[in-house]
Amino acid sequence: MANTSPGNSITLRVSAPSRFTTTSELAAAAAAAGAAVTALDVAESHHERIIVDITANTTDEDHAARVSDALEALEGVTVLHVSDRTFLMHLGGKLEVVPKAPLRNRDDLSRAYTPGVARVCMAIADDPALARNLTIKRNTIAVVTDGTAVLGLGNIGPAAALPVMEGKVALFKQFANVDAWPVCLDTTDTEEIISIVKAISPVYGGINLEDIAAPRCFEIEKRLRAELDIPVFHDDQHGTAIVTLAALTNALRVVRKKIADVKIVVAGVGAAGNAIISLLVAQGATNIIACGRSGAVHRGDNHADPHRAWLAEHTNPENFAGSLHEAMPGADVFIGVSGPNVLGEEQIAAMAGDAIVFAMANPTPEVDPVLAARHAAVVATGRSDFPNQINNVLAFPGFFRGLLDAGVSEITFDMLVAAAVAIANRVDDSELNASFIIPSVFDPHVADDVAFAVTNAAGSPLERTNS
């Protein structure tokens, strides 16, 4: 799959002869090299030469180099500099801390800090519950990772995980006005992670676990939920499950099938796969085959991992024991949360009529969506450059907004389902089609609808603030 993407956007500054046809020649050369030109600006103009900035989407670093070479090949053109726009966005990080209260004079300082702050401290010491109202706690969560399962990149460590966590924090703020902070831990020891999160928890109103590899993530979430009085949410599990259920609900509407009647093949039995399957089973799915690296999870194996044992007990009713490829013939739905290119066109062609394919591995899906679309009725990915982007950002900002507003610590299946229904319902009957089964991540009402649904499912209904 070689599609240009804003994630690989570059700006090339070139020096070229000053003539009427220069800009069109530059644009044509970049396009001929496969770049998607998005902007062309004359930065400087002189009597013999002009300086032009060409911004274009490419597929990867090698493609960017080929685009640069194509411009250099033009007579009289020199490429002065190539800037990677994604790296430029990350210079200095993507976050800053801005105070809510102005500190303009001694009067402000005396109330925000010493001596006045001491009175607030003592009030909280006398009644710790006041921390929720008198500190950042009521609207702040920690985004915690150990960097062992970052996107589709695997175990890259806490420092390399930080740009992803910064992005997650920015999304919380942008879409649900939830204040969050990245906490990247330089340890993969389960007990140490649990201990650290418990130790920092007084500051936060919730904990979002992120990109922690299975099976440790299950134990960490379970223990923290039992030992903390604030909500603990593993987005890789439950956020993914929510948006998958929402998308599948609408995809099944498109093809006029029912969840209880379809054969579902899931590739990936880690954190996301387990949570998706659990939620689908709770919603009435009866024929799911879960496939890991060694093939289908079935009752003939000895499963030391309790989560694999649960899958073997509650899925695969015919106890199929073959490979992922062998499981695909006749499947109505494929859900991929595994790795790149695990399926080819042949496997999609073997699925049932009006098939649904969710290839959600990032950045490279389980199957090329263009090839999948030749045979499947509905195709979705986790990418923003194809229709039907199944992205957790539809779920986690509003979900935490609802948890914080409701002031609850327990997360229930009812909340997860309510959030999925709220997302699915953002696509009405007049909009629903094979290329639009899930709302845009920029739909301004999604987070509010999810928050409203979560607070009602929690038994703390709030007045709806949006249409």
Side-chain angles (χ1 to χ4, degrees):
M1 187 177 65
N3 295 292
T4 61
S5 167
N8 289 294
S9 179
I10 58 173
T11 296
L12 306 102
R13 173 156 285 198
V14 304
S15 173
S18 180
R19 55 176 179 256
F20 281 108
T21 59
T22 294
T23 54
S24 59
E25 291 170 3
L26 292 171
V37 178
T38 58
L40 192 150
D41 302 298
V42 178
E44 299 178 23
S45 182
H46 305 283
H47 69 287
E48 290 185 343
R49 301 191 68 78
I50 57 175
I51 304 298
V52 182
D53 289 334
I54 304 168
T55 301
N57 296 338
T58 65
T59 59
D60 53 31
E61 293 180 4
D62 289 340
H63 184 208
R66 294 196 301 272
V67 174
S68 178
D69 291 343
L71 295 176
E72 282 271 12
L74 295 176
E75 184 179 355
V77 172
T78 302
V79 176
L80 303 175
H81 186 69
V82 180
S83 298
D84 186 314
R85 297 180 68 225
T86 297
F87 274 78
L88 289 176
M89 176 182 279
H90 286 78
L91 285 177
K94 300 188 291 287
L95 307 173
E96 65 177 354
V97 176
V98 178
K100 292 169 63 177
L103 301 176
R104 299 161 298 193
N105 50 47
R106 289 181 180 274
D107 180 79
D108 292 339
L109 189 60
S110 294
R111 288 180 292 114
Y113 197 51
T114 186
V117 71
R119 297 174 51 238
V120 180
C121 294
M122 292 310 300
I124 295 171
D126 292 339
D127 182 2
L130 289 177
R132 177 172 164 79
N133 289 329
L134 296 176
T135 72
I136 62 173
K137 184 180 181 75
R138 70 180 299 163
N139 195 56
T140 303
I141 65 170
V143 178
V144 178
T145 188
D146 64 359
T148 54
V150 181
L151 299 177
L153 306 174
N155 184 359
I156 61 175
L162 182 55
V164 176
M165 303 308 122
E166 288 184 11
K168 195 87 173 189
V169 166
L171 294 172
F172 271 114
K173 187 64 175 179
Q174 179 71 30
F175 291 108
N177 197 31
V178 171
D179 296 319
W181 195 253
V183 179
C184 300
L185 304 179
D186 192 13
T187 177
T188 59
D189 181 85
T190 296
E191 292 300 327
E192 193 169 8
I193 291 172
I194 292 169
S195 177
I196 292 170
V197 174
K198 288 173 63 178
I200 66 173
S201 65
V203 177
Y204 300 102
I207 303 295
N208 184 95
L209 299 175
E210 192 75 24
D211 293 346
I212 299 173
R216 291 180 305 108
C217 61
F218 302 121
E219 176 68 13
I220 291 169
E221 183 190 44
K222 179 182 177 181
R223 288 272 303 281
L224 288 175
R225 283 188 172 185
E227 298 175 27
L228 291 177
D229 61 355
I230 56 176
V232 178
F233 181 82
H234 187 198
D235 182 54
D236 302 299
Q237 293 185 65
H238 311 300
T240 306
I242 289 168
V243 293
T244 302
L245 176 58
L248 183 59
T249 298
N250 284 344
L252 290 171
R253 288 168 59 198
V254 169
V255 299
R256 293 182 172 85
K257 296 181 182 181
K258 296 181 179 179
I259 194 168
D261 300 332
V262 295
K263 174 185 175 181
I264 303 171
V265 175
V266 178
V269 289
N274 269 270
I276 289 169
I277 292 168
S278 295
L279 197 55
L280 294 183
V281 169
Q283 284 302 99
T286 60
N287 187 5
I288 300 175
I289 298 177
C291 295
R293 291 185 178 90
S294 59
V297 176
H298 61 283
R299 289 176 290 284
D301 281 346
N302 181 23
H303 301 288
D305 176 2
H307 298 91
R308 293 285 183 102
W310 186 94
L311 290 176
E313 181 66 27
H314 292 87
T315 66
N316 199 353
E318 297 180 3
N319 208 29
F320 171 79
S323 68
L324 170 63
H325 285 196
E326 292 168 338
M328 291 297 292
D332 298 281
V333 179
F334 169 76
I335 297 173
V337 281
S338 54
N341 302 316
V342 298
L343 294 180
E345 185 176 358
E346 177 185 354
Q347 286 74 46
I348 305 303
M351 295 178 71
D354 289 329
I356 297 167
V357 172
F358 290 176
M360 298 190 290
N362 257 325
T364 305
E366 284 81 0
V367 61
D368 186 330
V370 175
L371 297 180
R374 294 176 181 173
H375 307 281
V378 179
V379 178
T381 72
R383 294 174 60 112
S384 60
D385 50 354
F386 289 99
N388 296 328
Q389 182 189 17
I390 301 177
N391 193 309
N392 291 20
V393 73
L394 288 165
F396 66 80
F399 199 90
F400 253 108
R401 176 77 276 153
L403 292 173
L404 293 171
D405 289 346
V408 297
S409 59
E410 183 181 5
I411 296 172
T412 66
F413 263 112
D414 287 345
M415 293 180 188
L416 303 179
V417 172
V421 170
I423 294 168
N425 286 346
R426 286 305 308 168
V427 180
D428 63 34
D429 290 339
S430 66
E431 299 172 314
L432 182 65
N433 63 71
S435 296
F436 192 69
I437 61 169
I438 198 86
S440 165
V441 296
F442 293 104
D443 183 327
H445 302 303
V446 169
D448 284 344
D449 283 4
V450 171
F452 181 79
V454 170
T455 56
N456 276 277
S460 302
L462 299 179
E463 183 178 353
R464 183 181 290 273
T465 58
N466 69 295
S467 59

